[in-house]
Amino acid sequence: MTALDFTARARTSLRDSQLRRNIAKATSTIRAKTARVAGELPDWEALRDAGQAIKRQTMAELDRHLVALEASVTAAGGVVHWARDAAEARTIIVGLARQYQAGSVIKIKSMTTDEVELNPALSAAGITPYETDLADMIVQMAKEKPSHLLVPAIHKNRAEIRDLFLRELDPAAIPGGRLDADPSSLAKAARAHLRAKFLSTKVAISGANFAIAETGSVVIVESEGNGRMCLTLPDVLISIMGVEKVLPKWEHLEVFLQLLPRSATGERMNPYTSVWTGNRAAEARAGDGPQVFHLVLLDNGRSKILADEVTRDTLNCIRCSRCLNVCPVYERAGGHAYDSMYQGPIGAIVTPQLRGFEEAGSLPFASTLCGACQEACPVRIPIPNILTHLRAKVVAEKRQGLGALNGENLAMQAAKAMFDHPTLLAMALAAGRIGQAPLVRDGRVTHLPPPLSGWSLSRDFPALPPESFRDWWAKREPRS
Amino acid sequence: MNARDAILANIRSALAGSTPPVLPPFAYRRAGEMTGEELRARFLDRLADYNVHIVRLRNEAEIPAALADRLAANGATRYVAPADLPSAWRPAGVEALEEVDGAPLSHAQLEATPSVVTGCALAVAETGTVVLDAGSHQGRRALTLLPDHHVCVVFEHQLVETIPEALQNLIGAVRDGRPLTFFSGPSATADIEFDRVVGVHGPRRLDVLFVQGD
Ligand code: SF4
């Protein structure tokens, strides 16, 4: 089941030329911008070193920092919850939303809530979740899946979004029912559509970019101002973060507030960054933000990632999405091929570790190991290294389980037998040259017969030459 | 075992046997080097990149006239003012909707007022960023969020060059539990084809009155 998933999904996306054009256009724009603003800082490489070192050190003592965060958030009037897995996170958040009698909630920075599949659980409890990030809203309205960490609707172009908005937005948000397809008009319509919700909804649910153990502060980095709306206007704020988002000290933030915007949207600084500490703002001044603040700390497989020293660096990710934007496989296969809210190179290492190899074991193979991701990553995560490490683990797991019967594995075993026995190899090659005739098209073999078919599902082969190197070597004129 | 203890136990066993790396000394810049006109020019240049309307003033006395001008240019006959907005800044003849402490204005009132005028905590030249820390002349966060036009007064002495300097200056506010809002240009999005376009949920127009001199 596993080995073919990415390939099968990628094949679908590859056939969609509109999708490929949309993605190629967006990623080439952003590549140019990030390269320019990163290159502009004389100490960019030193910032990357610092980012990597801080993250590594944080992970190495994660328990201590989480306990400190719990204490500082609690001291600032927040309530801390711990969730071992997705189900526990859903129970906590749905329970809180019920407790505050929310008929609907507004959401910002929803990747972690996507990971725990919160929206269906809220809906099942009769609570309507409204995504407020423009791209998340687009994906929610189109009933699709996110295709990019940062710009989840990257697969859609302006004309497609215009058509969607004409169908789905509150008609009052589109005066006269006419909407141009330029991004400013679309943004304006989204503003009008969401205004009323911001002003009337009592409970907000957010993710988090960073949380500072030293001060108990949580940080959200955003563009549109929907974050500020969600963090400021409602009475109750519930934030959920993976345990790896903690930073030990306030001063560490100075590194990440430089690395993140320049790597993410290619800006010197994103339009808005909010920092809040428990419910202290509302206590100090009536009406300044939610009176009640809940913080949910989510494990959901992260402690397992921590246990393997090679994969541990996976947790250092600040979700900037730069590795996606430079990845040749992502650019061609598109985000949906990764079947996850985490796509591209980081998705190829995170998803199989979070969801298991049975479900997502094909992802570590969705890479050419060209190394562009590691080169671009602001915290220098050695993604190719982690990919090959995971590949080895996937293969080992398959060899043990029922998965041993899958095509690629059998092909590998057949190949191993041949390479181990030179005579067998010579015989196979001779047989191949004769046997391949019906399979060759334009000098390439695209479908091998079983047991080799698993291998050729995702690869073409050059046809075997009329004479093998070995035969040629044996027959060549002896030199004197 | 409850969830908290289970997660911490899992993390501890995952980390057992590995030694935490030592943090190396950092080589990035923690302070800037620019002063005077170079620093001013850098800040204004970076602001201009975000489509911010900039007015350079020679001293505080020029603020009321500049404010009157900017409010008129945006068609605003009223503006929201934090209670402690200095009277020396306020333009004559334009109505200020003032928020008195303890009696917050309603969201509907804020929403219905076209402009807001505030000061700031500090500004960062390298990134064109202005920071609010709920301190003097700023009010609570909703004031600068709901009106569509924000005029922010920035004094030259509030300028630092780099992000690390800004955060070092803000630690006191954070320790006091005060919320921070960093803004770099007006509200924007890059969610459609990675094009930055101005104007989603926050104020769509941002003016900075930059007052030179200490
Ligand atoms: S792996 Fe690195 S480049 Fe990719 S999203 Fe994470 S931090 Fe960014």
Side-chain angles (χ1 to χ4, degrees), chain A residues 149 316-324 346 373 376-381 383:
Chain A
L149 279 185
N316 301 353
C317 174
I318 57 173
R319 308 275 186 261
C320 73
S321 78
R322 197 170 178 194
C323 58
L324 279 65
I346 183 64
C373 46
C377 175
V379 289
R380 298 193 198 282
I381 299 177
I383 296 176

Side-chain angles (χ1 to χ4, degrees), chain B residues 78-80 97 108-116 146-149:
Chain B
R78 288 174 341 131
Y79 65 96
V80 174
L97 183 65
Q109 279 174 301
L110 293 173
E111 163 92 351
T113 312
S115 299
V116 57
L146 293 173
D148 206 8
H149 171 225

Side-chain angles (χ1 to χ4, degrees), chain B residues 18-103:
Chain B
S18 57
T19 18
V22 184
L23 273 188
F26 295 141
Y28 67 87
R29 296 167 304 148
R30 296 203 74 213
E33 285 160 2
M34 291 182 183
T35 53
E37 183 53 28
E38 197 188 6
L39 185 64
R40 288 194 288 270
R42 173 57 57 92
F43 176 56
L44 298 177
D45 172 70
R46 295 293 149 91
L47 276 182
D49 247 15
Y50 299 130
N51 292 312
V52 174
H53 186 96
I54 302 159
V55 184
R56 280 183 86 152
L57 304 178
R58 276 168 309 208
N59 54 54
E60 200 172 357
E62 292 183 342
I63 294 176
L67 267 182
D69 188 53
R70 290 317 301 155
L71 292 170
N74 281 277
T77 52
R78 288 174 341 131
Y79 65 96
V80 174
D84 63 346
L85 193 78
S87 49
W89 296 7
R90 303 186 183 208
V94 193
E95 187 196 340
L97 183 65
E98 194 171 289
E99 179 164 279
V100 208
D101 262 353

